[in-house]
Amino acid sequence: MNRIAPDLVAELKVKEERKAGLPELPLAKDEKVVMRFAPNPNGAATLGSARGIIVNSEYARMYGGKFILRFDDTDPLLKRPMLEAYDWYLEDCAWLDAEPDEVVVASERMDLYYEYAEALIKRGAAYVCFCPADVFKTYKEQKIPCPHRTVGDVENIESWKNMLKGVYEEKEAVLRIKTDMASEDPALRDWVAFRILKREHPRVGKKYVAWPTLDFESAIEDHLLGITHIIRGKDLLKSEKRQRFLYDHLGWKYPITMLWGKIKMQEFGKFSTSELRKRIERGEYEGWDDPRLPTLKALRRRGFLPETIRKFFISIGVTQTDIAVSMKNLYAENRKAVDALASRYFFVRNPKELKLKDGQSFVAKALKHPSRKEYRVIRTGNTVYISGDDFAKLNAGQRIRLKFLCDVDIESIEPLVAKVVETPAKDVPIIQWAPSEGIKVVVKKPDGIDKGIGEPLIASELGNVVQFERYGFVRIDSVLEKEVVAYFTH
RNA sequence: GCUCCGGUAGUGUAGCUCGGCCAAUCAUUUCGGCCUUUCGAGCCGAGGACUCGGGUUCAAAUCCCGACCGGAGCACCA
């Protein structure tokens, strides 16, 4: 086969490789791929942001191109940026192994946008419009130009300068891009490029009053940065159509665009950054890294591996359907990676004291990991703790095994007393336990808090992901003198 | 209402450009079994989908038409 048709063999191989990663990008010849992820830093990055970060950076990597992180932070009113969030994005990118080759902050490049705005006005491609929004809407619906559309450029420039100087109040004037007032699609008729917002911007303060809309700012930036491929939400489909008018006015070539549908995590339902922010400020959550939240900060704190999240989003790819994926998929992926690393420990939730008759003190030698010959030593007096869940299923006369310690026969339930058995039997239910001198453990989970007791060595695992046997994986978040706080992974 | 986009198992996803090798890939979930001094781990196995109708064709998940269902935009939000 190889001899007869080497090309065919090569082609087949390519096809197989493709399955593993992202689909190929449509490419112009000799083109250097430049991708961007352009969030508004009005909160911490969520799983949705992770998709953008990962897919864009992965494409850049696939083609030896460039990945740009651009902060589209030009709305100081409705989507007001958060000063801390800029750095958070940088941290999250680094964590996801997606460090940007370049970082651009739109609010620091306002003068650039003003230049292009002026150039467009001079070309007769944009005009200052004084129509109140509802008045313009009726013009738009009737497909007729508003009176300001035909004003000469000298007067237009003057109005524009006044806009910049703050002569007008909010909503008094906007700069519109000329498109086609007769366009079939009302969304495309003379859209707004700048509006007046006399608000303080967390980064540049009150320096500017005329702010570009996303459509304008991102159109200019995408060209200036040499973006070759844009992936954006399909709700922004119209954006492209609007921006194309601008590109035509300026004689620019529009990047290739791909659209993707909304992604929703079944467990979290709908969440918007603004909504999260409100709730956090209201104190409903402990912060942006509260384990109940779908933020990257929270997932990191819970001990998710960045590779897991990368693989997850690469496997989902770029499709236009709206999807609702379950965290279970992410858990399954993460479990594979984490299982090999995590040391095992005992933790019992809602502990119940079990008295061992005839016992003085015991020493258990327990495996740290089933596939490694490392041990942890657990000492206990003649009482141990078992979990409330196991206790609820216990009957007098039953034999159980305290893992790595001994087999016991339950003699009575109330009080809970057991007799140590010398010869171990087969097919005995095996449960975990905690020693009499155990340490208090609090586990913060997405769906609540568990309290219990664990073996003291847990305190030595600060920052690590470990497995609490028969419970789940957790990351040891903080170690206090008498208490350990763990975040539940899955 | 107008404009547009999409529909492959419970959930994601591959295949669609260029029809045949598709009785449709992979993962996850579910179910069954096995193993083990843990498990929500591991191993083995099973189940489960081309929205519907018509057309083109020797041949349709793939091309065409229609219906249905779902989603989006029509903002001085991103």
Side-chain angles (χ1 to χ4, degrees):
Chain A
M1 182 79 177
N2 215 341
R3 206 181 317 141
I4 318 165
D7 293 352
L8 202 62
V9 172
E11 199 179 300
L12 283 174
K13 270 186 189 160
V14 170
K15 243 187 173 172
E16 261 163 39
E17 276 170 27
R18 204 178 288 174
K19 275 183 191 165
L22 257 13
E24 293 291 326
L25 235 35
L27 281 188
K29 58 281 145 206
D30 308 323
E31 189 174 54
K32 187 180 172 188
V33 171
V34 183
M35 309 292 300
R36 49 78 159 174
F37 173 63
N40 174 11
N42 62 339
T46 61
L47 273 168
S49 329
R51 189 186 193 191
I53 294 169
I54 289 162
V55 171
N56 280 293
S57 70
E58 182 68 15
Y59 268 130
R61 187 172 296 174
M62 266 169 77
Y63 293 100
K66 202 167 152 187
F67 171 56
I68 297 174
L69 173 66
R70 186 182 75 217
F71 293 107
D72 284 349
D73 59 344
T74 58
D75 181 1
L77 176 61
L78 290 166
K79 303 272 168 92
R80 196 162 183 273
M82 261 178 87
L83 211 44
E84 314 90 299
Y86 294 82
D87 284 337
W88 292 350
Y89 268 95
L90 256 24
E91 283 164 23
D92 287 335
C93 283
W95 181 60
L96 290 172
D97 189 23
E99 252 176 290
D101 299 298
E102 194 178 333
V103 178
V104 177
V105 180
S107 61
E108 287 172 358
R109 287 155 65 94
M110 294 284 282
D111 296 332
L112 214 49
Y113 312 140
Y114 290 160
E115 271 173 43
Y116 281 99
E118 193 173 324
L120 284 158
I121 297 167
K122 283 182 178 157
R123 283 178 195 219
Y127 61 97
V128 177
C129 174
F130 294 96
C131 298
D134 52 330
V135 171
F136 187 83
K137 197 177 176 187
T138 61
Y139 284 124
K140 182 160 79 174
E141 278 162 4
Q142 293 166 51
K143 300 187 180 181
I144 51 176
C146 86
H148 311 101
R149 197 180 207 262
T150 44
V151 165
D153 25 316
V154 181
E155 196 186 328
N156 247 330
I157 289 283
E158 203 190 312
S159 305
W160 167 246
K161 292 266 158 75
N162 284 340
M163 241 178 108
L164 297 187
K165 268 188 272 175
V167 172
Y168 313 124
E169 292 309 310
E170 288 186 10
K171 307 204 172 200
E172 210 180 319
V174 294
L175 186 77
R176 289 187 186 278
I177 300 297
K178 283 189 193 170
T179 62
D180 174 8
M181 285 307 284
S183 168
E184 280 305 306
D185 190 342
L188 303 184
R189 297 173 201 156
D190 285 17
W191 51 273
V192 173
F194 283 84
R195 77 285 206 202
I196 295 165
L197 295 171
K198 296 191 169 174
R199 310 288 162 137
E200 186 164 338
H201 186 284
R203 234 178 141 101
V204 291
K206 292 191 166 171
K207 193 170 167 192
Y208 307 103
V209 295
W211 289 92
T213 56
L214 177 77
D215 280 337
F216 187 84
E217 175 267 330
S218 78
I220 300 290
E221 285 292 4
D222 284 339
H223 174 78
L224 261 29
L225 297 171
I227 305 297
T228 56
H229 299 75
I230 301 172
I231 311 175
R232 62 172 141 226
K234 66 174 177 184
D235 52 321
L236 258 38
L237 174 70
K238 289 288 156 57
S239 245
E240 169 172 351
K241 297 200 169 157
R242 281 194 284 260
Q243 292 180 344
R244 276 186 185 278
F245 285 100
L246 188 66
Y247 274 57
D248 288 345
H249 286 311
L250 295 165
W252 294 347
K253 180 180 166 262
Y254 203 82
I256 294 168
T257 49
M258 290 183 283
L259 299 172
W260 54 24
K262 269 210 208 96
I263 184 166
K264 187 174 93 176
M265 303 309 295
Q266 287 168 7
E267 287 79 354
F268 292 107
K270 277 187 189 152
F271 55 86
S272 71
T273 308
S274 330
E275 183 65 26
L276 291 186
R277 187 171 177 176
K278 235 184 274 166
R279 293 199 192 169
I280 290 166
E281 281 165 4
R282 251 190 259 141
E284 287 177 36
Y285 297 108
E286 285 182 18
W288 287 94
D289 57 359
D290 187 293
R292 287 168 290 184
L293 295 180
T295 58
L296 295 181
K297 282 168 138 340
L299 295 181
R300 184 158 62 227
R301 197 164 189 191
R302 286 171 60 188
F304 281 83
L305 263 33
E307 308 90 83
T308 301
I309 299 172
R310 272 195 90 90
K311 275 189 196 162
F312 179 69
F313 282 112
I314 289 170
S315 77
I316 286 174
V318 183
T319 56
Q320 281 198 46
T321 351
D322 292 335
I323 54 175
V325 287
S326 168
M327 287 294 285
K328 282 181 184 174
N329 293 282
L330 195 61
Y331 294 162
E333 187 70 55
N334 200 57
R335 187 146 44 224
K336 286 178 202 160
V338 130
D339 183 63
L341 308 171
S343 293
R344 272 56 172 168
Y345 291 99
F346 290 155
F347 160 76
V348 295
R349 153 177 108 136
N350 304 331
K352 219 36 187 173
E353 203 177 82
L354 168 67
K355 191 165 169 52
L356 300 174
K357 232 167 102 182
D358 325 314
Q360 336 65 18
S361 65
F362 300 84
V363 179
K365 197 178 160 201
L367 279 169
K368 268 193 151 176
H369 190 280
S371 59
R372 289 197 296 266
K373 287 236 161 10
E374 293 165 35
Y375 296 90
R376 54 192 215 266
V377 173
I378 318 165
R379 294 169 201 284
T380 183
N382 61 359
T383 60
V384 297
Y385 295 100
I386 66 169
S387 86
D389 306 317
D390 288 328
F391 171 75
K393 291 180 227 152
L394 235 43
N395 297 309
Q398 192 183 357
R399 176 166 297 184
I400 55 167
R401 177 171 300 152
L402 300 168
K403 194 182 175 189
F404 295 126
L405 188 67
C406 60
D407 287 9
V408 298
D409 283 333
I410 301 298
E411 295 203 329
S412 68
I413 298 292
E414 207 71 58
L416 186 57
V417 178
K419 187 172 187 287
V420 176
V421 181
E422 294 305 333
T423 46
K426 261 238 164 222
D427 295 326
V428 180
I430 301 162
I431 64 168
Q432 84 279 21
W433 51 277
S436 45
E437 301 299 314
I439 187 162
K440 275 170 74 180
V441 179
V442 174
V443 182
K444 296 193 175 180
K445 305 193 296 178
D447 56 353
I449 290 178
D450 279 344
K451 288 184 180 167
I453 298 176
E455 53 184 290
L457 235 40
I458 290 169
S460 68
E461 294 277 2
L462 181 63
N464 295 337
V465 175
V466 301
Q467 188 195 70
F468 284 169
E469 296 200 27
R470 302 213 310 141
Y471 179 79
F473 292 93
V474 302
R475 185 182 147 278
I476 306 304
D477 188 74
S478 58
V479 175
L480 309 171
E481 202 180 331
K482 286 268 176 219
E483 186 181 286
V484 168
V485 176
Y487 273 60
F488 190 74
T489 316
H490 44 72

